[in-house]
Amino acid sequence: MADNLRQPLTDYDLSQPLPPDASGLRQGLSSYGDAHFSLFLRKAFIKALGYSDDALSRPIIAIVNTYSGFNPCHANVPQLIEAVKRGVQLQGGLAIEFPTISLHESFATPTSMFLRNLMSMDTEEMIKAQPCDAVVLIGGCDKTVPAQLMGAISANKPCIHLVTGPMMPGSHNGTRIGACTDCRNNWARYRAGTIDIEEIATINDELAPTSGTCGVMGTASTMACILVALGLMPLKGASAPAVSSARLRISEETGKLAVGIVKNELKPQKLLTRESFLNAIIVLQAIGGSTNAVVHLLAIVNRHPDVAAAITLDTIDEIGKHTPMLVDLKPSGDNYMTDFHNSGGMQALLYELRPLLYLDATTVYGKTLGELMDSTAFRPVPRNLPGHCIHPFYEPLYPCSSLVVLRGNLAPNGAVIKASASKDRRLLQHSGSAVVFADSADLARRIDDPSLEVTAESVLVLQNIGPIGNPGMPEAGLIPIPRKLAARGIQDMLRISDGRMSGTAGGTIVLHVSPEAADAESAFGVVKDGDTIACNVAERRLELRLSKKEIQERIQERIRQDRARKVTQIHTRGYLGLYLQTVGQAHEGADFNFLTAKGS
Ligand code: FES
């Protein structure tokens, strides 16, 4: 390619047709009807930026810039881009950055998940539209990595990921604290009256003391670890702090590797196989990863035409049964991502998990995972050092199934619970009387009402926060403990919803009930106060103790009442209209049906 383009005059030779499989700047020409003129015009415009013909003859590595003033998790992106460019140039490529949508958890209403599919469309279409040979995807905050990977798989140009990296922990009264497990813990203490308003304000200053993603095993850290397991990111790429020099060296390495994946033609639909995804699920279970990652992984899998049918929600549960949880990080454990990094990070974890991994899976290094592990110098970190948080394979923190899939008449298509994050393990086998909230507004209105009829044995049910019921499926599944019970020291209850929960949160919380309450046929949508709900995690069961006949009668009654609502949804305009008409259920990843590999 480079030799070809170093003779620019041939680009204007009308007797020589431009090759249909052109690369670099010559690929994907804008349509002016005359291909030579289209290339002539493109080169005229890009020279306005000062590029020489030599520079324009190189493999073009596009860098997706997700910097945004509204995204503190991505505050270091400009420095990372400079380091990636250095790596690309060291290998003889030309790096060109371009922007896409950027999403931060706290700055997207109604919730960042509402916009994940939009970001994936933006990423896919801009990768396809612009003349690049490979793409470096710089993401980090929760929805950005899945959105980028979904888009990149669909675009199917060689891609490599770089995450912004986790933030450092802060400190309060001599105790380390960090976003966002400690945001929630301390807010719960404040609600219960354990700490006062001055103290909660002081804590607020220390929860996010540096740029970077949440410093626990939340969704961002989970997705970063998954990227390494998928073979799409350097081995140390998941855990190096956002503000470290290591993060910049990883960025430089990423730039170098990006040129290599062009030479090796490592398109994501070729690099990623069923085995790559099985490795990702093994890691997800071993880190006690975020429940959100289950939804994202299924959306990612369903973008891949050759893998979509081979990986389902049940695959995640099955792998969990044989995978020990080894990483002691909040919210399931006690430590922070800096501890994970200092314990050897993903390199150390993969070495522990080696007996389970599919070592023939390919990586962006152009080697298999097994070859990569064999060729990488790795010295285990002594286990007795303070903060060491990776358990040996045979001495796990939690024996297996950190994430469990439940089924039953309440969730025929499945629901997910992070069993390892339960604060009261007795609740993993529990039946109780339902206290039902119709939606988030109803919850906010009544949860702290002193007259609410609720006990510690009740099952709190929150309906209508699923993909359609509350577009974006907000992270409202962490239903707060009613204040009158929290004040008595109750810290956990069985809670069930069709929504999501932050990966940084914990408790005995069943999420992603499918079909969601807003689906006219949903049994979850017809649960009433006083119904008995039984959950048995060991047996994977989630049951509404009602006869099939009674459930059906309630559903039919509801269908009669719901007709008007469906018509309203169909006539909603804009992105919300597109979302409501095409979004899928959680058990398939909540992607838009026309974006999946099989199409609508
Ligand atoms: Fe960005 Fe937590 S808010 S990773």
Side-chain angles (χ1 to χ4, degrees):
M1 170 182 53
D3 287 344
N4 221 2
L5 279 170
R6 279 197 191 107
Q7 303 161 25
L9 288 181
T10 61
D11 287 342
Y12 313 136
D13 184 348
L14 299 179
S15 67
Q16 300 290 326
L18 292 171
D21 58 346
S23 56
L25 203 68
R26 288 169 158 184
Q27 67 190 292
L29 294 168
S30 311
S31 299
Y32 291 106
D34 174 345
H36 288 86
F37 176 66
S38 299
L39 180 57
F40 172 75
L41 210 59
R42 173 175 287 175
K43 290 176 78 170
F45 278 118
I46 200 160
K47 283 179 179 174
L49 294 170
Y51 292 113
S52 65
D53 279 312
D54 181 22
L56 297 175
S57 72
R58 309 299 173 123
I60 296 179
I61 309 301
I63 306 173
V64 178
N65 181 349
T66 49
Y67 177 83
S68 159
F70 284 111
N71 195 341
C73 297
H74 290 204
N76 60 347
V77 167
Q79 295 97 301
L80 302 191
I81 288 175
E82 287 312 307
V84 172
K85 284 183 175 174
R86 187 164 66 241
V88 170
Q89 285 159 4
L90 283 169
Q91 290 299 101
L94 173 66
I96 300 180
E97 68 187 80
F98 72 90
T100 67
I101 293 170
S102 186
L103 299 174
H104 184 277
E105 290 305 287
S106 290
F107 295 93
T109 187
T111 166
S112 61
M113 182 67 173
F114 176 62
L115 298 167
R116 183 201 64 179
N117 298 347
L118 182 64
M119 184 176 177
S120 85
M121 290 168 73
D122 181 4
T123 306
E124 173 184 346
E125 295 305 327
M126 295 317 289
I127 292 173
K128 286 198 292 202
Q130 297 173 138
C132 54
D133 298 297
V135 190
V136 177
L137 302 153
I138 304 184
C141 197
D142 294 12
K143 306 306 176 295
T144 60
V145 167
Q148 291 183 321
L149 184 48
M150 290 158 69
I153 290 175
S154 297
N156 203 28
K157 279 190 188 176
C159 68
I160 182 169
H161 282 258
L162 173 66
V163 295
T164 53
M167 63 177 70
M168 303 295 290
S171 175
H172 174 67
N173 288 345
T175 302
R176 292 191 304 168
I177 55 174
C180 224
T181 305
D182 300 322
C183 310
R184 298 173 203 289
N185 292 346
N186 283 293
W187 190 251
R189 290 169 63 210
Y190 173 60
R191 273 178 54 81
T194 313
I195 57 177
D196 61 20
I197 197 164
E198 277 83 17
E199 186 165 1
I200 196 73
T202 308
I203 288 170
N204 188 263
D205 284 346
E206 281 293 311
L207 286 166
T210 72
S211 65
T213 50
C214 289
V216 296
M217 194 50 81
T219 307
S221 302
T222 302
M223 293 308 302
C225 294
I226 282 175
L227 287 176
V228 175
L230 286 170
L232 290 172
M233 195 160 72
L235 282 176
K236 294 181 181 173
S239 58
V243 292
S244 65
S245 58
R247 175 62 46 196
L248 297 177
R249 283 190 290 276
I250 290 163
S251 304
E252 184 183 299
E253 182 187 5
T254 305
K256 287 182 177 176
L257 287 168
V259 181
I261 59 175
V262 176
K263 290 180 183 151
N264 293 323
E265 296 185 53
L266 287 176
K267 296 181 179 180
Q269 290 183 19
K270 173 182 162 190
L271 185 149
L272 295 170
T273 60
R274 174 177 165 271
E275 286 69 30
S276 316
F277 286 103
L278 295 178
N279 286 338
I281 296 169
I282 290 166
V283 164
L284 171 65
Q285 292 281 6
I287 60 179
S290 164
T291 47
N292 283 317
V294 175
V295 181
H296 298 322
L297 253 181
L298 291 164
I300 292 163
V301 162
N302 284 324
R303 290 295 186 98
H304 194 310
D306 302 330
V307 181
I311 308 271
T312 67
L313 201 51
D314 291 332
T315 318
I316 294 172
D317 192 58
E318 275 306 310
I319 287 181
K321 290 175 184 168
H322 313 290
T323 307
M325 185 183 140
L326 302 180
V327 178
D328 184 358
L329 252 60
K330 293 186 176 194
S332 295
D334 289 327
N335 297 292
Y336 295 88
M337 279 299 282
T338 46
D339 301 310
F340 182 54
H341 184 65
N342 294 337
S343 303
M346 279 301 294
Q347 235 175 332
L349 181 65
L350 292 177
Y351 275 81
E352 292 293 345
L353 292 171
R354 188 169 180 135
L356 299 180
L357 293 171
Y358 295 82
L359 298 173
D360 289 337
T362 309
T363 70
V364 284
Y365 290 82
K367 299 176 178 175
T368 67
L369 182 62
E371 289 168 346
L372 182 61
M373 289 171 69
D374 289 339
S375 66
T376 309
F378 173 69
R379 295 175 67 182
V381 177
R383 296 191 197 289
N384 53 1
L385 293 183
H388 190 89
C389 63
I390 301 175
H391 283 231
F393 187 82
Y394 293 107
E395 293 173 35
L397 180 69
Y398 196 77
C400 61
S401 295
S402 61
L403 291 163
V404 173
V405 175
L406 303 173
R407 289 184 190 274
N409 63 0
L410 201 53
N413 293 335
V416 173
I417 183 170
K418 189 174 187 174
S420 59
S422 167
K423 291 180 180 166
D424 182 349
R425 298 267 154 94
R426 290 176 309 123
L427 294 172
L428 295 175
Q429 181 179 349
H430 179 73
S431 65
S433 180
V435 176
V436 180
F437 300 93
D439 52 32
S440 296
D442 185 34
L443 177 80
R445 217 168 25 245
R446 296 195 293 124
I447 188 72
D448 289 333
D449 185 338
S451 66
L452 183 70
E453 291 191 16
V454 63
T455 72
E457 304 305 313
S458 302
V459 179
L460 301 179
V461 172
L462 176 54
Q463 298 167 323
N464 289 305
I465 60 165
I468 294 172
N470 195 337
M473 198 185 172
E475 291 183 341
L478 180 69
I479 305 168
I481 304 295
R483 191 178 290 167
K484 65 181 181 184
L485 296 180
R488 282 182 15 216
I490 304 298
Q491 294 187 356
D492 200 4
M493 295 173 68
L494 179 59
R495 290 162 270 180
I496 305 175
S497 77
D498 47 8
R500 297 177 301 115
M501 171 179 86
S502 166
T504 63
T508 311
I509 299 173
V510 178
L511 302 154
H512 314 172
V513 169
S514 178
E516 63 171 296
D519 185 310
E521 307 270 332
S522 166
F524 186 66
V526 298
V527 180
K528 293 180 179 171
D529 280 337
D531 289 346
T532 300
I533 291 177
C535 175
N536 188 321
V537 169
E539 295 179 4
R540 274 48 180 175
R541 280 196 299 106
L542 185 64
E543 302 284 351
L544 177 60
R545 293 260 167 88
L546 285 181
S547 69
K548 201 170 176 180
K549 181 168 173 286
E550 183 157 6
I551 293 174
Q552 272 310 315
E553 283 172 1
R554 287 191 191 179
I555 287 173
Q556 291 311 316
E557 174 58 25
R558 190 159 164 262
I559 286 173
R560 280 191 286 278
Q561 296 168 2
D562 262 5
R563 200 167 288 138
R565 176 178 180 165
K566 284 200 173 283
V567 172
T568 311
Q569 287 179 353
I570 289 166
H571 291 288
T572 301
R573 66 162 293 283
Y575 177 71
L576 176 60
L578 177 71
Y579 178 100
L580 288 172
Q581 288 168 39
T582 62
V583 74
Q585 289 291 284
H587 71 281
E588 293 180 323
D591 199 0
F592 295 160
N593 58 19
F594 64 93
L595 293 175
T596 62
K598 70 179 178 192
S600 59

